[in-house]
Amino acid sequence: MTALLTLNNVHVHFNTAAGLVRAVNGVSLDLGAGETLGLVGESGCGKSTLGKAIMRLVPVSTGEIRVEGTDIAQLQGSALTAMRRKVQMIFQDPYGSLNPRSTVGRSVAQPLVLAGWKPEAVAERVDTLLGWVGLPTDAKQRYPHEFSGGQRQRIGIARALALNPRLIVCDEPVSALDVSVRAQVINLLEDLKAEFGVSYLFISHDLSVVEHIADRVAVMYLGTIVEIGSRDRIWRQPQHPYTKALLAAAPIADPKLARTRTRTVLQGELPSPLEPPAGCPFHSRCPIAQARCKTERPVLRATGDSAQAACHFI
Amino acid sequence: MERFAFLGRFARNRGALAGTVIILLVAFAALSAPVFFPTDPLRMVAQPELWPGEDPAFPLGTDSLGRDMLAMLVHGARATLLIGLFASAVATLIGVSVGAAAGYFGGWIDETAMRAVELFQTIPNLIFVLTIVVILGSTLHNIVIAIGIVSWTPIARMTRAEFLALRDREFVQACRSMGMGDFGIIVREILPNALPPVIVLSSLVVAGAILFESAVSFLGLGDPNIASWGRLVGDGRELIRSSWYICAIPGVAIMVTVLCLNLIGDGLNDALNPKLRDR
Amino acid sequence: MAAVPLEVSDLRTTLFTRRGEMKAVDGLSLSVGAGETVALVGESGCGKSLSALSIMRLLPDPPARIVGGAVKLNGRDIVPLSEESMLDIRGKEIGMIFQDPMSALNPVATIEKQIAEVVMAHTGLGRFQARARAHELLEQVGIPDAARRLDAYPHQLSGGMCQRVVIAMAIACSPSVLIADEPTTALDVTVQAQVLTLLKRLQAEAGMAMIFITHDLGVVAETADRVVVMYAGRKVEEAAVDDLFEAPLHPYTAGLIGATPVPGAVRAERLADIPGMVPPLNALPPGCAFAPRCPRAMDRCRTERPALTEPRPGRRVACFAAEKGPT
């Protein structure tokens, strides 16, 4: 089976006034058709930048991004436009991701119009799409400010689905939503996946949401993947000390479970990506770091069936 | 619905409402000038320096050459308003284009555009306008273009700031991720969102343009075929000790019009600025 | 017996806006004992933050005003007090921690100056002693290299460090009541864990009463002793934390718990979602505010508003269906 999305040693570097920021620093991963890959990490770890790089919203410095075998990392013009139909994105901010001066119908129709659909076909498709995400068709004539956050996120999902993409990059799609509405959107995403076989790259800082929705999980720290594996593997037998710390820190909505588990609180905070530590990026906060970690950067190694971690001491 | 709400917010600002009514009256007078005063207003019709009220046929009196002040005032409204509107349109066109390109693309385009803005801001505006008019000739076109050229910089700055804030919003990224071109994104997606504050500024540029034109005409460099208000003030200045009304009447007209335009600008600001809504 | 640190009874706060009066907090009663943590839970717009601001008497007026009820701080009702007396009470008897630490600190003043100001205002210590106290407080909240950080400006510190500074300011005069309004929402998971641990430690050391406002049930489970669930400005359920998670009485509470995934638990096929959305405060339904979204709603719920009942001591619920039996 060829993977739907293959990242090969992807780097995204930004030149800023303060110096070179290595936001994404050598990421490789595969995502199969119909799979949901969760991408977790704390703010500044590069997970959103990686999502944007896949969408080609930020320039890729080096590395390959293959969608169904074609490297799109440096594509331009019409070849890029053709590829964009296969990969779509759902954004974090339901208030910012829709043009406030466009009707909902116009926003949802946008990808279709750009793809050269005929007006009648566009109108029909928009009705279908709004139906799929559970919005009334009279929503078409209305403006985004007339809708709640959850409804707007549905509009964003309808827009992303318009051209039957193979992959949807979800950048923190439920972080801005209230608990009850968040569950609605997560369920909708799962229903759509079951119906259309679409794959998700699900970027989130919320471990419990990722645990619920993802088949596999990749953990990022300072621009690199420190551990990747199946959901159960990551939750039951985390190998990397950062993954362990992240799981220990995540609050659990069950007071009895919360009291019984041992809780090692990770000290310190994320180092600045302007001056990433030499060697293992995590060594400055790692409870098991040794001299070797300060000089030698660990690579991802297999730690079991389809699981990999980047640590010298596994 | 949306339009109604906008008008409601605008009308809540009493000053803006009053300003609009007065400007509409001035515009009506300007448009109907050929109906009420079908003859050339620059024709001599009576004895010179008739004070207002002296002769009921000439309610605002006559000037030093015996021309009807009211006819000149009404015809002058035409010239003055047209110059203001067109100069503002020129300034808005230049300012929005430059500002949009600078804010959206950034990099060297932004650098170049902003240096150009600074260059224009360092030139004394009135002297620049006078220079252009003197070199190219005192025609209506040249005056309008010259005023437009000195007035576009604040609009460019405002547009740039709006574009800077909007270009990284997620809906713009969504358009980019669908493969929409830069021109489409600028014109159809960002511009409608960037326009409200620009419109407010443009309405103030109309007022500024009227003042510029008045100054140019007062100095006797205006288009000699057009009786704008500024020129009326200029024509009367030699008699200011004896028949001061010749200066005062068009002067008051200019003042009231500019004031009303500013009030309208304020009202538009209230109506278009969403932060102040619901207060 | 000493007075309960904080006792709120029938607190009512109304927003006076152009679109009408909105009852943002509608008859809230709660009490917090020394050393106890009460979590105030609900979704955006449920009135939890306005409740906190009402208790602190920090409401933005206009549009918000307390129209009734009492807030007893160590036995004294502070609702009728003047702003001047409140200045003396805030920071001294009751402290508050905000969601966004960056905007809670003055960007152009050093950390030392900001903490020392609070200390000097309430204790009459001199500049020099206040600096020493500030140093002590920074160490107490676990800021490494505290002596050097005293002269730093907020933008030189990370979000987690700034929140520690805000906490240091809130506890500077050992208040008996601490209100934490979403104190970890803006922070990363590992930093959130640090701050929660810190708050629990400080509370245990000083025996403070704490109100913890959050929308995150995970944080509730980790920190609270008792939980008050709010919906559309009203308290709909109150219970000890274990009881609440084990057997929620109000359908809204049950919905919230079902909608929150629990890692490590058996994976549910679907999350239980609550259909619809929170009604706007100016268009509340006539009966129970939750009735249009409620799976157990009866005819009575749509016309009549359920009052709070107390089926067991310490357990309160406002629901007609819950009176009949558990969910």
Side-chain angles (χ1 to χ4, degrees):
Chain A
M1 182 192 87
T2 49
L4 174 60
L5 173 76
T6 306
L7 304 186
N8 199 353
N9 201 19
V10 173
H11 288 257
V12 179
H13 297 172
F14 296 112
N15 264 313
T16 66
L20 189 69
V21 175
R22 293 183 168 84
V24 177
N25 203 4
V27 166
S28 303
L29 56 80
D30 286 324
L31 197 154
E35 186 181 41
T36 300
L37 176 67
L39 193 58
V40 298
E42 297 177 277
S43 53
C45 73
K47 57 189 192 302
S48 277
T49 308
L50 184 61
K52 285 183 182 148
I54 294 168
M55 297 306 300
R56 289 289 310 279
L57 289 172
V58 294
V60 180
S61 305
T62 59
E64 291 177 349
I65 298 175
R66 291 189 179 276
V67 176
E68 294 185 321
T70 317
D71 183 9
I72 61 152
Q74 310 296 338
L75 279 188
Q76 292 297 339
S78 57
L80 180 64
T81 311
M83 179 289 296
R84 287 195 189 283
R85 285 170 206 170
K86 293 181 182 165
V87 187
Q88 284 294 320
M89 187 158 185
I90 302 170
F91 294 87
Q92 169 173 7
D93 178 9
Y95 294 85
S97 59
L98 297 171
N99 188 339
R101 286 178 192 274
S102 287
T103 59
V104 168
R106 183 169 175 264
S107 284
V108 174
Q110 226 162 23
L112 303 165
V113 173
L114 285 171
W117 284 43
K118 294 214 161 50
E120 312 83 65
V122 169
E124 198 178 309
R125 178 74 175 166
V126 169
D127 287 347
T128 316
L129 289 165
L130 290 176
W132 281 348
V133 297
L135 287 171
T137 45
D138 71 352
K140 272 193 297 188
Q141 290 98 37
R142 295 198 274 157
Y143 285 86
H145 70 87
E146 298 172 52
F147 294 90
S148 69
Q151 289 174 316
R152 284 185 223 199
Q153 208 55 308
R154 286 169 191 268
I155 297 167
I157 294 172
R159 179 175 61 185
L161 285 172
L163 291 167
N164 279 326
R166 303 294 317 278
L167 171 68
I168 298 183
V169 175
C170 311
D171 187 4
E172 304 261 9
V174 296
S175 305
L177 303 179
D178 271 322
V179 184
S180 65
V181 179
R182 189 174 72 187
Q184 292 172 4
V185 172
I186 291 172
N187 286 340
L188 174 66
L189 287 173
E190 291 194 311
D191 293 345
L192 293 170
K193 177 179 159 185
E195 199 164 336
F196 304 109
V198 62
S199 302
Y200 296 125
L201 178 67
F202 195 95
I203 301 168
S204 178
H205 69 278
D206 188 332
L207 293 159
S208 50
V209 169
V210 170
E211 199 261 358
H212 179 82
I213 200 169
D215 302 310
R216 282 197 307 140
V217 178
V219 182
M220 274 187 88
Y221 188 82
L222 271 192
T224 62
I225 290 184
V226 296
E227 186 162 5
I228 182 167
S230 71
R231 177 176 60 99
D232 289 341
R233 171 92 195 178
I234 295 282
W235 254 266
R236 303 258 151 75
Q237 296 162 284
Q239 301 294 312
H240 197 282
Y242 179 63
T243 314
K244 290 180 185 169
L246 211 52
L247 292 178
I252 294 181
D254 181 336
K256 285 183 179 153
L257 217 59
R259 270 196 294 271
T260 51
R261 67 179 174 152
T262 50
R263 189 158 186 182
T264 44
V265 173
L266 197 61
Q267 293 310 308
E269 293 175 30
L270 217 61
S272 156
L274 275 173
E275 305 154 11
C280 175
F282 186 56
H283 82 250
S284 57
R285 299 171 76 190
C286 183
I288 61 168
Q290 292 181 20
R292 186 183 169 193
C293 305
K294 290 181 185 150
T295 52
E296 197 182 326
R297 186 169 158 171
V299 292
L300 276 176
R301 287 178 299 138
T303 56
D305 261 0
S306 70
Q308 293 171 300
C311 178
H312 294 305
F313 302 105
I314 296 173
Chain B
M1 264 306 285
E2 190 72 345
R3 297 274 144 74
F4 259 17
F6 168 80
L7 287 178
R9 286 195 299 271
F10 183 80
R12 247 196 301 149
N13 184 327
R14 296 269 169 80
L17 203 60
T20 312
V21 169
I22 295 175
I23 288 290
L24 284 177
L25 282 177
V26 173
F28 174 76
L31 286 175
S32 59
V35 179
F36 293 118
F37 303 97
T39 52
D40 184 355
L42 300 185
R43 220 165 42 106
M44 286 173 265
V45 288
Q47 68 177 98
E49 293 185 57
L50 271 180
W51 277 72
E54 220 172 307
D55 182 343
F58 307 105
L60 292 182
T62 59
D63 72 352
S64 55
L65 297 173
R67 302 179 293 195
D68 182 356
M69 286 294 293
L70 183 61
M72 286 201 291
L73 197 70
V74 172
H75 277 271
R78 266 183 143 198
T80 301
L81 285 186
L82 274 184
I83 289 168
L85 286 175
F86 276 107
S88 173
V90 170
T92 306
L93 196 69
I94 304 176
V96 167
S97 310
V98 173
Y104 182 79
F105 292 108
W108 65 268
I109 296 179
D110 188 24
E111 283 292 320
T112 317
M114 284 302 106
R115 292 302 86 79
V117 165
E118 280 158 18
L119 183 73
F120 275 92
Q121 285 187 326
T122 52
I123 299 172
N125 288 346
L126 188 58
I127 291 176
F128 187 77
V129 172
L130 293 178
T131 312
I132 291 187
V133 171
V134 167
I135 294 172
L136 299 179
S138 329
T139 65
L140 193 60
H141 294 108
N142 290 340
I143 295 171
V144 164
I145 291 169
I147 295 173
I149 286 175
V150 297
S151 308
W152 63 276
T153 52
I155 294 180
R157 277 179 179 278
M158 172 75 82
T159 311
R160 173 177 174 267
E162 290 292 313
F163 266 68
L164 277 180
L166 287 162
R167 73 166 180 198
D168 290 325
R169 289 272 292 277
E170 286 183 341
F171 74 86
V172 176
Q173 293 193 346
C175 293
R176 226 175 269 156
S177 75
M178 287 170 215
M180 189 184 275
D182 289 331
F183 187 75
I185 292 179
I186 292 177
V187 174
R188 284 196 291 277
E189 299 297 326
I190 304 186
L191 196 57
N193 288 290
L195 273 184
V198 174
I199 290 172
V200 173
L201 207 52
S202 297
S203 73
L204 299 180
V205 169
V206 177
I210 290 176
L211 289 177
F212 266 126
E213 193 280 330
S214 303
V216 171
S217 296
F218 177 79
L219 294 175
L221 294 167
D223 191 329
N225 302 314
I226 295 166
S228 74
W229 289 346
R231 183 164 151 218
L232 298 185
V233 180
D235 285 352
R237 68 177 175 223
E238 278 145 31
L239 296 171
I240 196 151
R241 282 160 181 267
S242 52
S243 303
W244 54 266
Y245 68 93
I246 301 175
C247 280
I249 290 171
V252 167
I254 293 172
M255 194 188 81
V256 168
T257 307
V258 169
L259 179 71
C260 289
L261 284 167
N262 278 299
L263 289 174
I264 291 174
D266 276 356
L268 283 174
N269 199 19
D270 285 357
L272 294 169
N273 189 348
K275 278 184 194 157
L276 293 171
R277 287 181 193 174
D278 285 335
R279 285 262 168 99
Chain C
M1 199 188 94
V4 182
L6 182 69
E7 195 160 16
V8 178
S9 48
D10 196 29
L11 181 68
R12 276 174 289 127
T13 298
T14 300
L15 294 171
F16 296 88
T17 70
R18 272 203 312 122
R19 283 182 289 179
E21 294 179 13
M22 299 188 220
K23 291 177 175 169
V25 182
D26 194 4
L28 177 74
S29 301
L30 59 86
S31 71
V32 194
E36 189 186 31
T37 304
V38 173
L40 212 51
V41 188
E43 298 180 281
S44 44
C46 74
K48 57 189 193 299
S49 282
L50 276 176
S51 304
L53 293 175
S54 305
I55 294 169
M56 290 294 292
R57 294 273 317 275
L58 281 173
L59 287 171
D61 179 13
R65 218 157 51 226
I66 298 178
V67 293
V71 175
K72 281 195 177 146
L73 192 60
N74 300 314
R76 175 164 62 139
D77 186 4
I78 59 169
V79 170
L81 291 188
S82 68
E83 178 58 28
E84 214 162 44
S85 354
M86 276 315 293
L87 283 180
D88 204 33
I89 289 173
R90 272 186 229 123
K92 193 174 180 183
E93 289 181 51
I94 185 167
M96 184 156 180
I97 306 167
F98 299 89
Q99 174 172 352
D100 181 5
M102 291 296 188
S103 59
L105 292 172
N106 179 351
V108 296
T110 60
I111 302 301
E112 182 230 335
K113 194 170 170 228
Q114 302 192 44
I115 301 180
E117 241 163 45
V118 179
V119 173
M120 291 192 296
H122 294 297
T123 58
L125 288 181
R127 183 96 228 175
F128 188 72
Q129 292 155 301
R131 185 181 166 92
R133 174 77 178 130
H135 185 207
E136 195 180 295
L137 282 164
L138 287 191
E139 282 183 339
Q140 207 179 341
V141 296
I143 291 188
D145 208 358
R148 203 166 52 85
R149 293 280 159 74
L150 277 176
D151 297 316
Y153 288 88
H155 68 90
Q156 294 169 314
L157 303 182
S158 68
M161 285 298 150
C162 282
Q163 194 60 296
R164 285 169 193 267
V165 173
V166 173
I167 294 172
M169 285 164 69
I171 63 161
C173 302
S174 317
S176 48
V177 178
L178 186 64
I179 298 181
D181 186 2
E182 305 252 9
T184 60
T185 306
L187 305 177
D188 273 318
V189 192
T190 55
V191 182
Q192 164 172 291
Q194 293 168 5
V195 170
L196 291 182
T197 315
L198 170 69
L199 280 174
K200 275 173 156 177
R201 195 194 82 212
L202 293 172
Q203 185 194 18
E205 283 170 7
M208 278 182 295
M210 182 152 80
I211 292 188
F212 199 103
I213 295 168
T214 181
H215 66 279
D216 186 337
L217 286 180
V219 174
V220 173
E222 303 265 352
T223 53
D225 300 314
R226 261 187 317 128
V227 187
V228 169
V229 183
M230 288 186 74
Y231 190 79
R234 296 171 70 94
K235 174 159 84 175
V236 295
E237 182 161 6
E238 178 178 353
V241 66
D242 285 7
D243 295 346
L244 188 90
F245 280 88
E246 207 160 277
L249 290 181
H250 199 284
Y252 176 63
T253 318
L256 279 185
I257 293 172
T260 308
V262 180
V266 183
R267 189 184 196 183
E269 277 302 302
R270 284 173 72 82
L271 292 173
D273 61 23
I274 307 176
M277 53 189 168
V278 181
L281 282 175
N282 57 349
L284 289 181
C288 170
F290 187 61
R293 308 174 69 189
C294 183
R296 303 181 71 194
M298 305 169 290
D299 288 343
R300 190 181 170 198
C301 304
R302 289 178 238 284
T303 52
E304 195 183 327
R305 194 143 66 174
L308 267 181
T309 57
E310 192 166 4
R312 284 199 298 283
R315 187 92 206 243
R316 291 186 181 84
V317 65
C319 176
F320 294 127
E323 285 168 21
K324 287 186 170 173
T327 43

